[in-house]
């Protein structure tokens, strides 16, 4: 799964291992530095953040905060959200409309 990793003003396109659900979870946890929290930003996209970021006193992530329209601290992953054949919401590639604009902003 392709995701945008947003670390304050640095943005990079990364690949998250989407093997088993556990492998995907561990890869996302490693990318944000802790247990994950999902912050929905639209019908088809979400930010994955460290759920204990405020407790860890992580620095504010200005670019992720702008995207989410709320305070985000620490690294964030921007991923897509879709519905699978079983009707469950699952993560997928980051929507293209975010990739170009955020990569430019993060340079």
């Amino acid at each position: 799964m392709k995701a945008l990793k947003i670390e304050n003003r640095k943005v990079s396109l990364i690949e998250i291992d989407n093997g088993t659900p556990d492998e995907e979870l561990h890869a996302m946890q490693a990318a944000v530095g802790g247990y994950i929290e999902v912050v929905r930003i639209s019908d088809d996209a979400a930010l994955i953040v460290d759920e204990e970021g405020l407790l860890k006193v992580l620095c504010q992530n200005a670019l992720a905060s702008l995207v989410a329209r709320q305070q985000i601290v620490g690294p964030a992953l921007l991923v897509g959200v879709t519905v699978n054949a079983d009707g469950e919401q699952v993560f997928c590639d980051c929507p293209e409309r975010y990739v170009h604009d955020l990569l430019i902003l993060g340079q």
Side-chain angles (χ1 to χ4, degrees):
M1 165 179 62
K2 290 186 172 114
L4 282 177
K5 186 170 184 178
I6 306 169
E7 298 181 88
N8 209 2
R9 294 184 182 257
K10 179 183 173 194
V11 179
S12 54
L13 190 59
I14 66 168
E15 187 71 32
I16 297 291
D17 180 13
N18 51 327
T20 68
D22 280 345
E23 290 170 338
E24 185 177 275
L25 173 63
H26 292 300
M28 288 188 290
Q29 287 173 330
V32 300
Y35 295 117
I36 67 167
E37 179 177 348
V38 178
V39 178
R40 288 300 290 262
I41 58 172
S42 69
D43 289 340
D44 65 344
L47 284 175
I48 307 297
V49 300
D50 183 342
E51 80 171 358
E52 296 178 331
L54 289 173
L55 294 173
K56 294 176 182 177
V57 194
L58 297 178
C59 293
Q60 182 172 348
N61 186 328
L63 187 51
S65 296
L66 180 67
V67 170
R69 297 184 181 143
Q70 64 179 342
Q71 182 182 12
I72 302 293
V73 298
L77 297 176
L78 199 155
V79 298
V81 180
T82 191
V83 177
N84 68 12
D86 296 327
E88 301 169 330
Q89 290 187 352
V90 294
F91 300 125
C92 60
D93 288 347
C94 176
E96 279 298 317
R97 69 179 182 277
Y98 292 105
V99 174
H100 179 263
D101 293 342
L102 288 176
L103 284 173
I104 289 173
L105 286 173
Q107 291 182 359

